[in-house]
Amino acid sequence: MIFKSFLTPKYKNKDPKVRLSAIAGLSPQDPEDKTHLHELAFNDANTQVRLAALHRLNQFVLWWKMAETDSNAQIKKQAYQIVEQQLLATEPDLLTTKERNQFIKECTNNALLEKVARQSDNASLVLEILTRLNRPQLNKQIFFATDNADVQLALLDQFDDIASLLKVLKKASSAHVRELAEQKLQQQEQQQQRRQVVDRQTRLVLAKLAALVDSPEYQVLLEGQTQLNSEFETLQQQFDLLEKAQADEYLGKHQQIQQSLKNRLVRLYPEWHKEQQQQAALQADADKLAIITDVIGEVDSALNTDLEQISQVQSQQWSQQLSDFRPQLMQMGSQAAQQYLKRIEQLQQQLADLEQIKQARQQATQYLQTLKDLVLPENIEQWLAIKAEFDKVKQQWRQLQHNIPRSWLGEVSHQWHDVVAQWNKTIRGLETDINQQLDDARQQLFKFDRLIQAGKFHGAMALHRKLSAAVQQLPETYRQKIQSKLDNATQEVEKLQDWQAYIAAPRKPELLQQVQALAEQPKPVKEQAELVKQLRQDWNSLGKLNTEEDDAQNQAFEKWSEQAFQPCREYYQQQEKIRSDNLAHKQQIIAELQQLTDAEMDDAEKVKQFNRLEQRWYKTGEVDHKLRQPTGKQYQQAKEPLKAIAASFYQENERRKLLLIKQAEQLDDVEDIQQAIEQAKQLQQKWKAIGSAGNKQDDKLWQQFRTLNNKVFDKRDEQQAQQKASEKQQITELEKWQSDWSGLIQQSQDISELQQQGLQFQQDMQNKVAELSPSATKSWQGKMDKLQQAQQQRIEQLQQHAELNRFEDLFALLADWQQGELPAEVELLPNAWQQALRVNHADADKRRSLTLQMEILQDKDSPAEDETLRKEIQLQLMADKLQTGTQPDLDELLTQWLQCGAVSQQQQPLLQRLKAVYLASPNR
């Protein structure tokens, strides 16, 4: 037996320490040693031995196998760490790059691959793993988590929506990646715009086609269908921009509408065909009327020009031809045909009276020539000399027209009227001047009478002198019309001259006193000026009497009137200074306008400064009335180019705002309210960026734009109100579930039941919370997290309590089982403990050693008699830890303790020590 122990290899020694030390002597390159190492790595009972053998073999495939299949938690954990280290290493030492790539292709542990992808700095490795996993969401997470430009460049294709690309622009560290993302974003925006255009135009074409179904006109329907189908076919070539379901929907609607149009065309065709036949008949009548019109025109033209060219034969032929038209016209029966019959009758009568017409036209031509021979007068005297002869020839023409039909004279009548019109125009011009002079004279006589009645005799006498001179310039014939009134005025003037001295004598002192009072006690400026002016007029109206007293009064009035007007003169000088300053200011504005026209700046800034200059101009006061018009003209000329720029600027802004209004009109068709709100906000930002379209137009456009935007926001408010009402109901239900879940956590004693019902509560509440607003979702998510934490704490409490019960059951069984077979209660214990107990390999020394190891690990005191052994074991544990980096597992030591068989009466103290040590574990 002793010899056998000497022949047993160390790696097969019962003592794990010996086996552990023997591993260093086994070579992985030796096939036999390699087999022994494999046996130790996979089947040895000691964890440290297995780990040492695995480290000695140190093969990636073995580590991976252990990580995936081994039941030992410690080995599994360390194997995973080594696998991860190798996969994450820049140059792994346990496998080649090719082997690593092959491993990634074949690996089914997606969690491991994902972890490596998240932690690795190797771009090719990361991309290989992401290709293997094929998870777009993970790709995006890796993109934003890494600073590796190569990885980001390779993953950029994963971002194909505007929101993700905007996030890339915000978070990507590489300028090149951001540049490419910007390009993709522009392409996506262009694609989206094209998609929206195709969608909008397709819906519009389908709407127009659908509207055609109600058209009552066959031709309109047929032409509209052809045109709109052509437009639809053009749009259909771009349906690849749309979602397939949407494109299929449009194609289906188009087919349905086409069938409806086809049915409508079938119903309308008979009526349309009938109308076409009627139109053809009308066209035939029109063609006949065209031929008749040509013949009538030919005859009418001949009868109205040179009658001498019409022979008797030609006359008879035309008459017969016109007669032949009668049956055709009578068959037509239209109103136009009746008019043609009447006209034919007139022409046939003229052809029958051809000789009498020739004679009448000859006589009319003579009267016309006589009128033409008369010379148009250039003044009123020439007109009066020729008037009798002119009236005579007009009377002859009227007598001729009275005796014959008006149509006989033809073109001669038109010529006569043209010449007479020219004479009438000339005569009216000459008589207008004379009549105006007569009217002016009558007005002056009326004014003379008013001056007499008002007592303004001096003004009346002066007016009489001017009027007498003007009347003498009139021809005798016209002068006689007002001579009697002029004579009466002359008599009045003669009386006034006799009474002038008598009237002026008492009136002048009174006026002198009034002007002196104004000089000494002035009124407000405007009132003072009016009073002084009126007093001057009254004084001058009294005339001069050419006496010493009158001369003295005239001098005194002049002195006092000048003194009375002096405050007014000073005021007017101040106003003149203000007007002069205003003129300088306005000239400065004109100069600035001219400089602004030539300035190099954008139109928006020019218009802004132009508006400021216009406001300054209107705020500037008046200038001298003589300079008002030329200054205003200069201003208008200076601002004309800027007005054109402003008009163009306003027009462009109006166009852009109208375009935004059209886009705002389409917001009503957006089903997603939030999307519509975002689009409305974008449109509002664009509106703010656009300049003014002119005050009046700008207000009008803004009201339209604002109304359309308000519709969207009103929908949002209505939806939010509905959501709040719905959310309130949902929160009521959530609060009930919260209360029920909380009660379950507090009262449940069954872990399985708690987990199952808690999971159901979690799922139900999570589904309901997902429907809430973001703020409410965040709040309820926090409440759910707290409930889950409370549930987990309750589960841990129940687990600890259950585990404590299991240990108490175990220790009670061990206390009863001191020898013989295992008690039947062993079936109530966990399988691992049952298997350990069934080993039943009695070893009191090992049990004592294991008890000490557990006391050392739990820092529990041991009896004094075991102090020496405790120190030896403690040193060995320290050495093992230094060598392998690990310590024995408490549960593994318990398993070995149970394998030592029944607990005899002598070992009962060890059981009590085990019970005290194990139940003292902080994890229990």
Side-chain angles (χ1 to χ4, degrees):
M1 191 71 180
I2 297 175
F3 181 74
K4 182 178 179 181
S5 64
F6 279 111
L7 294 178
T8 302
K10 289 185 178 182
Y11 64 83
K12 289 186 177 182
N13 195 289
K14 291 183 179 182
D15 190 345
K17 296 179 183 179
V18 177
R19 297 197 303 274
L20 191 63
S21 63
I23 289 174
L26 298 176
S27 173
Q29 285 74 32
D30 184 273
E32 185 176 354
D33 289 353
K34 186 175 182 180
T35 300
H36 300 326
L37 287 171
H38 272 278
E39 179 66 24
L40 292 171
F42 285 100
N43 300 319
D44 198 276
N46 188 276
T47 300
Q48 304 305 322
V49 172
R50 293 185 63 195
L51 283 174
L54 286 170
H55 277 290
R56 186 61 174 162
L57 290 168
N58 203 23
Q59 292 180 344
F60 181 82
V61 291
L62 295 180
W63 288 117
W64 173 239
K65 183 175 181 181
M66 293 299 176
E68 282 291 280
T69 62
D70 203 89
S71 59
N72 188 296
Q74 184 177 352
I75 295 175
K76 191 180 187 75
K77 178 180 178 181
Q78 192 167 142
Y80 260 116
Q81 291 176 348
I82 294 174
V83 169
E84 289 176 6
Q85 291 172 1
Q86 291 297 309
L87 292 177
L88 290 171
T90 304
E91 295 182 359
D93 53 359
L94 299 185
L95 73 169
T96 64
T97 302
K98 181 178 180 180
E99 291 172 341
R100 181 167 62 183
N101 294 339
Q102 186 63 31
F103 171 79
I104 290 172
K105 290 180 181 179
E106 298 175 355
C107 180
T108 58
N109 191 324
N110 292 341
L112 173 64
L113 294 178
E114 181 179 338
K115 184 175 182 181
V116 173
R118 292 181 182 277
Q119 297 181 5
S120 177
D121 294 328
N122 189 323
S124 60
L125 176 63
V126 173
L127 295 175
E128 183 72 25
I129 293 175
L130 294 180
T131 302
R132 166 72 176 80
L133 295 177
N134 191 24
R135 287 170 51 194
Q137 189 62 33
L138 176 62
N139 294 348
K140 292 183 178 181
Q141 293 174 1
I142 297 294
F143 180 96
F144 292 116
T146 185
D147 290 331
N148 192 310
D150 293 334
V151 173
Q152 290 184 336
L153 283 173
L155 296 179
L156 188 58
D157 289 339
Q158 303 285 328
F159 297 88
D160 52 4
D161 60 281
I162 293 177
S164 297
L165 289 170
L166 288 173
K167 189 175 180 182
V168 170
L169 287 176
K170 183 178 179 181
K171 294 190 176 183
S173 57
S174 170
H176 182 54
V177 172
R178 292 197 301 273
E179 181 181 355
L180 293 177
E182 178 68 28
Q183 295 175 3
K184 287 197 66 176
L185 179 61
Q186 293 176 358
Q187 293 173 359
Q188 288 296 323
E189 290 177 342
Q190 293 172 359
Q191 191 85 339
Q192 185 180 33
Q193 292 174 358
R194 289 176 57 200
R195 184 183 303 110
Q196 291 174 349
V197 169
V198 171
D199 179 66
R200 183 172 62 255
Q201 292 180 349
T202 302
R203 285 189 282 108
L204 179 60
V205 169
L206 289 174
K208 289 180 177 179
L209 279 170
L212 277 179
V213 175
D214 298 326
S215 176
E217 299 183 19
Y218 179 90
Q219 191 66 33
V220 172
L221 193 153
L222 185 62
E223 293 175 356
Q225 180 189 28
T226 303
Q227 178 184 350
L228 291 174
N229 279 343
S230 176
E231 294 179 13
F232 185 84
E233 289 173 2
T234 302
L235 291 169
Q236 187 178 348
Q237 296 174 3
Q238 305 178 62
F239 274 13
D240 56 331
L241 296 172
L242 306 177
E243 296 291 339
K244 186 177 185 303
Q246 191 175 28
D248 291 342
E249 178 186 353
Y250 288 156
L251 290 172
K253 287 183 178 179
H254 183 259
Q255 273 187 330
Q256 294 174 0
I257 296 172
Q258 290 303 306
Q259 186 60 43
S260 299
L261 290 173
K262 182 179 178 181
N263 297 337
R264 182 67 171 170
L265 286 169
V266 170
R267 289 194 299 272
L268 293 178
Y269 178 78
E271 185 66 24
W272 174 79
H273 184 64
K274 182 179 178 181
E275 290 178 359
Q276 290 298 107
Q277 290 178 332
Q278 293 175 350
Q279 290 293 332
L282 291 174
Q283 185 61 44
D285 290 345
D287 294 340
K288 293 176 182 179
L289 288 177
I291 297 173
I292 296 173
T293 301
D294 292 341
V295 175
I296 290 175
E298 182 182 357
V299 176
D300 189 60
S301 177
L303 290 173
N304 281 289
T305 53
D306 192 357
L307 296 177
E308 298 299 330
Q309 300 296 324
I310 303 175
S311 65
Q312 187 66 26
V313 175
Q314 182 67 58
S315 176
Q316 293 175 354
Q317 289 178 349
W318 279 340
S319 181
Q320 182 60 44
Q321 195 171 8
L322 291 172
S323 297
D324 294 340
F325 289 148
R326 283 178 173 275
Q328 300 178 25
L329 292 170
M330 293 176 69
Q331 186 178 4
M332 292 179 190
S334 64
Q335 186 176 358
Q338 294 300 319
Q339 293 176 352
Y340 273 90
L341 284 170
K342 185 176 179 180
R343 182 59 179 154
I344 286 174
E345 184 178 354
Q346 293 173 352
L347 291 175
Q348 285 181 322
Q349 185 61 48
Q350 289 183 21
L351 290 172
D353 298 334
L354 187 58
E355 292 303 322
Q356 292 88 335
I357 294 174
K358 287 181 179 181
Q359 293 175 7
R361 195 169 294 182
Q362 288 174 357
Q363 191 172 3
T365 302
Q366 291 176 1
Y367 294 154
L368 176 62
Q369 188 60 45
T370 301
L371 183 59
K372 287 182 177 180
D373 290 341
L374 294 177
V375 179
L376 282 171
E378 297 181 358
N379 52 53
I380 195 67
E381 288 78 10
Q382 292 179 5
W383 162 239
L384 293 174
I386 203 173
K387 184 177 185 302
E389 191 173 356
F390 177 76
D391 291 340
K392 178 182 177 182
V393 71
K394 283 183 66 178
Q395 181 59 35
Q396 291 172 341
W397 178 272
R398 283 194 292 270
Q399 186 62 37
L400 176 62
Q401 280 190 323
H402 181 71
N403 296 329
I404 63 172
R406 184 180 298 273
S407 59
W408 281 17
L409 298 182
E411 185 63 28
V412 178
S413 178
H414 296 301
Q415 295 179 19
W416 169 268
H417 287 300
D418 290 343
V419 175
V420 169
Q422 185 178 8
W423 272 86
N424 289 337
K425 181 179 179 182
T426 302
I427 293 168
R428 280 196 302 270
L430 296 175
E431 290 185 339
T432 298
D433 293 341
I434 293 298
N435 290 331
Q436 183 63 48
Q437 293 178 35
L438 284 173
D439 289 341
D440 290 344
R442 291 188 184 98
Q443 290 292 330
Q444 294 299 320
L445 286 170
F446 179 71
K447 184 178 180 181
F448 175 83
D449 292 339
R450 284 189 294 146
L451 289 174
I452 293 296
Q453 293 173 5
K456 298 180 180 180
F457 306 124
H458 182 70
M461 289 187 289
L463 181 61
H464 178 267
R465 288 193 297 271
K466 292 172 60 178
L467 180 60
S468 298
V471 171
Q472 292 301 320
Q473 302 298 323
L474 295 173
E476 180 64 24
T477 303
Y478 294 94
R479 187 167 62 244
Q480 293 301 326
K481 295 181 179 181
I482 61 170
Q483 187 63 48
S484 61
K485 292 185 177 181
L486 182 61
D487 292 342
N488 293 334
T490 301
Q491 292 175 7
E492 289 290 336
V493 169
E494 290 173 353
K495 292 179 183 179
L496 287 174
Q497 289 174 347
D498 294 336
W499 285 92
Q500 182 176 9
Y502 177 78
I503 296 172
R507 179 69 174 145
K508 281 193 173 183
E510 181 183 347
L511 295 177
L512 186 61
Q513 187 178 5
Q514 292 179 9
V515 76
Q516 183 178 356
L518 279 177
E520 293 174 349
Q521 296 180 351
K523 304 286 186 183
V525 173
K526 290 187 178 180
E527 183 181 356
Q528 182 86 351
E530 289 295 328
L531 291 172
V532 172
K533 180 180 179 181
Q534 186 61 48
L535 287 172
R536 281 184 181 276
Q537 290 177 354
D538 293 345
W539 186 273
N540 291 332
S541 68
L542 297 176
K544 294 182 180 181
L545 302 179
N546 297 321
T547 63
E548 292 183 1
E549 183 182 1
D550 185 63
D551 292 342
Q553 287 179 339
N554 288 336
Q555 291 176 2
F557 183 85
E558 184 66 26
K559 170 189 172 184
W560 287 112
S561 64
E562 282 295 322
Q563 185 175 343
F565 191 72
Q566 184 60 32
C568 302
R569 184 176 288 106
E570 292 175 356
Y571 172 77
Y572 291 142
Q573 288 175 352
Q574 293 175 359
Q575 293 300 309
E576 182 64 27
K577 175 65 168 59
I578 294 173
R579 286 193 290 271
S580 177
D581 293 342
N582 290 340
L583 176 63
H585 192 190
K586 289 195 172 186
Q587 288 174 341
Q588 176 63 30
I589 293 174
I590 292 171
E592 291 181 23
L593 286 171
Q594 294 170 343
Q595 293 174 0
L596 181 60
T597 301
D598 300 330
E600 294 184 359
M601 62 178 65
D602 58 66
D603 289 348
E605 184 62 27
K606 275 193 177 182
V607 172
K608 183 178 179 181
Q609 295 192 24
F610 172 55
N611 289 334
R612 291 175 180 172
L613 290 173
E614 276 200 314
Q615 291 176 3
R616 283 172 54 193
W617 177 272
Y618 292 127
K619 289 180 181 178
T620 304
E622 288 291 338
V623 300
D624 188 272
H625 70 280
K626 295 180 181 179
L627 299 174
R628 185 181 304 145
Q629 184 174 359
T631 305
K633 186 175 181 181
Q634 292 176 10
Y635 170 71
Q636 294 297 332
Q637 291 175 348
K639 78 173 189 176
E640 199 63 35
L642 294 169
K643 280 179 63 178
I645 293 174
S648 176
F649 177 74
Y650 292 149
Q651 185 177 8
E652 173 61 19
N653 290 341
E654 179 181 359
R655 184 192 67 78
R656 294 170 64 188
K657 289 187 175 182
L658 285 172
L659 182 61
L660 290 181
I661 289 174
K662 289 183 179 179
Q663 295 178 10
E665 289 174 349
Q666 298 169 6
L667 293 176
D668 198 36
D669 298 332
V670 179
E671 296 181 359
D672 188 338
I673 296 299
Q674 192 58 40
Q675 183 181 359
I677 290 291
E678 292 300 322
Q679 292 181 13
K681 290 180 179 179
Q682 293 175 8
L683 291 178
Q684 289 176 349
Q685 293 299 322
K686 292 180 180 179
W687 185 281
K688 291 179 181 179
I690 299 174
S692 173
N695 291 334
K696 294 183 179 179
Q697 192 67 8
D698 219 33
D699 292 340
K700 179 180 177 182
L701 294 173
W702 170 247
Q703 291 302 324
Q704 296 179 22
F705 182 72
R706 182 181 179 183
T707 300
L708 294 170
N709 278 267
N710 285 344
K711 286 184 180 180
V712 178
F713 290 108
D714 290 344
K715 281 186 179 179
R716 190 269 310 274
D717 294 341
E718 181 180 354
Q719 186 184 67
Q720 286 180 345
Q722 294 175 353
Q723 288 176 346
K724 285 181 180 179
S726 175
E727 188 170 89
K728 185 177 181 181
Q729 181 178 359
Q730 292 171 337
I731 287 177
T732 301
E733 191 170 355
L734 282 170
E735 289 174 344
K736 182 180 181 304
W737 285 343
Q738 180 188 22
S739 176
D740 293 346
W741 192 1
S742 178
L744 173 68
I745 292 171
Q746 294 174 3
Q747 299 173 10
S748 179
Q749 299 296 325
D750 189 316
I751 294 176
S752 176
E753 178 185 6
L754 177 58
Q755 289 177 330
Q756 184 177 0
Q757 294 187 21
L759 179 61
Q760 186 62 46
F761 276 123
Q762 179 185 356
Q763 292 174 347
D764 292 343
M765 292 182 70
Q766 189 65 51
N767 293 334
K768 189 67 69 175
V769 166
E771 300 174 2
L772 300 180
S773 62
S775 58
T777 298
K778 183 177 180 181
S779 173
W780 275 98
Q781 194 63 54
K783 295 178 181 180
M784 288 175 59
D785 292 341
K786 289 181 179 179
L787 286 170
Q788 289 174 343
Q789 292 174 3
Q791 176 176 304
Q792 185 60 35
Q793 290 175 358
R794 180 60 178 168
I795 289 173
E796 291 176 357
Q797 291 175 358
L798 293 175
Q799 287 175 339
Q800 290 176 2
H801 183 69
E803 188 173 8
L804 182 62
N805 289 338
R806 287 197 300 272
F807 277 108
E808 289 177 351
D809 292 342
L810 172 64
F811 295 140
L813 182 144
L814 292 175
D816 295 338
W817 183 44
Q818 297 184 6
Q819 61 182 358
E821 296 295 328
L822 277 169
E825 292 81 2
V826 72
E827 299 294 338
L828 301 176
L829 298 178
N831 291 333
W833 290 353
Q834 292 183 37
Q835 294 175 6
L837 289 170
R838 288 192 174 98
V839 171
N840 198 8
H841 182 69
D843 190 338
D845 292 338
K846 182 177 181 180
R847 177 165 281 169
R848 180 185 177 195
S849 173
L850 291 170
T851 304
L852 285 170
Q853 289 185 53
M854 287 189 279
E855 287 175 337
I856 292 169
L857 291 176
Q858 292 302 109
D859 197 20
K860 184 71 175 175
D861 292 337
S862 303
E865 60 269 18
D866 291 338
E867 188 65 26
T868 301
L869 181 58
R870 177 183 172 112
K871 288 182 180 180
E872 293 178 0
I873 294 174
Q874 193 168 12
L875 289 174
Q876 183 61 44
L877 290 174
M878 291 176 62
D880 292 343
K881 184 175 182 180
L882 291 174
Q883 183 178 1
T884 63
T886 60
Q887 284 186 329
D889 183 72
L890 192 64
D891 289 343
E892 183 181 353
L893 293 175
L894 175 61
T895 300
Q896 296 180 32
W897 199 96
L898 297 177
Q899 290 174 349
C900 293
V903 182
S904 62
Q905 186 63 36
Q906 293 80 7
Q907 294 179 4
Q908 285 298 316
L910 293 179
L911 175 60
Q912 295 303 316
R913 289 166 60 184
L914 172 66
K915 183 176 180 180
V917 169
Y918 207 87
L919 294 182
S921 170
N923 296 327
R924 303 302 173 190

